[in-house]
Amino acid sequence: MHTGRLWTNGDPFLAVDASLRDAWRGFSDNQYDDIVDLGPQDTNIPVGVGWAALVGADGVVRDDSWMEVFQAEDGGIAIVQASGPDYPRVLTEALRYPDTDDEDGDPLIVRSKELALFSAAYDGTGPHSQPLIPARPGPVPPVHGRPSHQDDPGLLLTTTYTTFAFKVRWYTQLDEEGSFARWLLTPARTL
């Protein structure tokens, strides 16, 4: 089910245990600069006493883009960046696309059972942070659309799982008009 969307102007997002987000100082302490030298094979970055998964911003799919967030009944989370004239169809096909050839990332631990998704260019909390809104079930957007004219918030997802396997699929061409990139967090086990 669709639970929210995140606007990126090319900056990656962090998926991190919400209890650790105050340790991320992407803006205030220039921690964002630590991401600049990372390559596509790098899937996480330290945040306080834990780690955050790096998600989003596949510039081949789109430079400025919405990333759609989905949460499955089995606890899985998918973040999809899509392009194509039939936006809902591309999103649906991206979610159904096999993950056998996706790149394996490092596991993500979410001990608080709350996952924060926010732009790595901001701080996790404080005056230089994005507000986080709770994930809300809703319909899949019918079109990609333009960004809002307000500051775009991050998302806060509640989960019953504490350990997630992480997989990344970079630019994937579906047909002549549709393409996507995808980041999957799959429940691995409970602690």
Side-chain angles (χ1 to χ4, degrees):
M1 106 180 73
H2 187 265
T3 58
R5 56 191 341 208
L6 303 164
W7 179 260
T8 178
N9 60 0
D11 292 326
F13 274 61
L14 300 181
V16 65
D17 185 319
S19 69
L20 299 175
R21 72 186 173 113
D22 63 338
W24 182 254
R25 311 285 289 164
F27 180 84
S28 296
D29 294 342
N30 297 316
Q31 282 183 309
Y32 179 77
D33 293 343
D34 296 341
I35 294 174
V36 173
D37 294 329
L38 298 178
Q41 74 282 358
D42 296 303
T43 60
N44 68 5
I45 191 162
V47 176
V49 297
W51 292 85
L54 293 167
V55 299
D58 184 316
V60 181
V61 175
R62 287 182 178 261
D63 286 331
D64 295 342
S65 180
W66 287 109
M67 295 185 304
E68 308 297 347
V69 181
F70 299 88
Q71 199 164 9
E73 287 182 17
D74 68 2
I77 298 165
I79 298 109
V80 178
Q81 188 177 12
S83 179
D86 187 347
Y87 194 62
R89 179 191 65 84
V90 175
L91 290 170
T92 299
E93 289 190 34
L95 291 171
R96 291 182 182 157
Y97 205 86
D99 67 359
T100 50
D101 293 330
D102 290 12
E103 296 175 30
D104 289 322
D106 296 306
L108 180 65
I109 307 298
V110 185
R111 285 192 173 88
S112 72
K113 296 186 178 181
E114 286 191 313
L115 181 69
L117 292 163
F118 60 91
S119 173
Y122 290 91
D123 292 347
T125 58
H128 302 292
S129 66
Q130 284 183 296
L132 298 184
I133 60 169
R136 283 177 258 177
V140 172
V143 295
H144 179 270
R146 307 185 93 182
S148 64
H149 294 291
Q150 305 165 350
D151 287 336
D152 291 302
L155 283 176
L156 186 64
L157 290 96
T158 302
T159 178
T160 57
Y161 297 93
T162 56
T163 305
F164 291 88
F166 184 44
K167 287 190 158 208
V168 178
R169 172 167 285 282
W170 293 105
Y171 176 80
T172 300
Q173 187 77 36
L174 288 171
D175 52 37
E176 289 183 16
E177 298 181 313
S179 62
F180 73 93
R182 179 182 68 195
W183 297 264
L184 297 175
L185 293 162
T186 307
R189 61 184 170 94
T190 58
L191 293 177

